[in-house]
Amino acid sequence: MLVCRAGAETVGLPLEGVAEVFRFRPCTPVPGAPAALVGLTGRGGILVSVVDLATALGTAPAPPAGADGQGPGHVVVLRRDGPRIGLRVERVLAVAEAAVETSAEGLGRRAVAGYARAAAQGVDEPGFAVIDLASLLAPLLAAGRPGPA
């Protein structure tokens, strides 16, 4: 798991779904986009849609970056077919091995696959929500599709 802070929450992202991580930088806003879409940025000549993970989960978003763009935050680019999507997180904490257990408690979001406990350097939380990336992205990708004619 890639353990991150998303707003006030500690979450785990399945490592096999992560392509790369880079420091957050200012994005170009997209008019009419869902609230969770921070905007677009370029990375290695490829356009990346940056989604604020905390907003997508329905929790308080991470604080905005400073005017120099070097404020808090990382972008976790997801490994997937189709357009590049990056998740803005407040901070990447650690890579940890963790066993996922399903539970109905905690964040209570469809995008939460379960909960895990991990003993890893940099992770002060006793447990964290594990994010189901496909469930997280489904409503965001559907929002970009045109409706029936």
Side-chain angles (χ1 to χ4, degrees), residues 22 24-31 33-42 46-52 75 84-88:
F22 63 89
F24 177 79
R25 57 179 165 242
C27 295
T28 302
V30 178
L37 182 63
V38 176
L40 304 173
T41 192
I46 298 173
L47 198 59
V48 178
S49 300
V50 179
V51 172
D52 186 277
V75 175
R84 285 286 205 177
I85 296 178
L87 302 177
R88 182 187 188 285

Side-chain angles (χ1 to χ4, degrees), residues 96-121:
E97 286 194 33
V100 179
E101 48 187 72
T102 38
S103 172
E105 300 175 16
L107 287 175
R109 310 280 183 234
R110 287 182 305 179
V112 175
Y115 296 87
R117 299 196 186 291
Q121 187 174 2

Side-chain angles (χ1 to χ4, degrees), residues 46-90:
I46 298 173
L47 198 59
V48 178
S49 300
V50 179
V51 172
D52 186 277
L53 180 55
T55 302
L57 291 172
T59 64
D68 62 358
Q70 298 299 312
H74 292 102
V75 175
V76 178
V77 180
L78 302 178
R79 183 181 319 271
R80 59 184 300 275
D81 293 332
R84 285 286 205 177
I85 296 178
L87 302 177
R88 182 187 188 285
V89 297
E90 185 176 357

Side-chain angles (χ1 to χ4, degrees), residues 114-142:
Y115 296 87
R117 299 196 186 291
Q121 187 174 2
V123 182
D124 295 331
E125 305 289 327
F128 52 88
V130 176
I131 304 301
D132 177 334
L133 296 173
S135 296
L136 174 77
L137 296 179
L140 296 169
L141 294 173

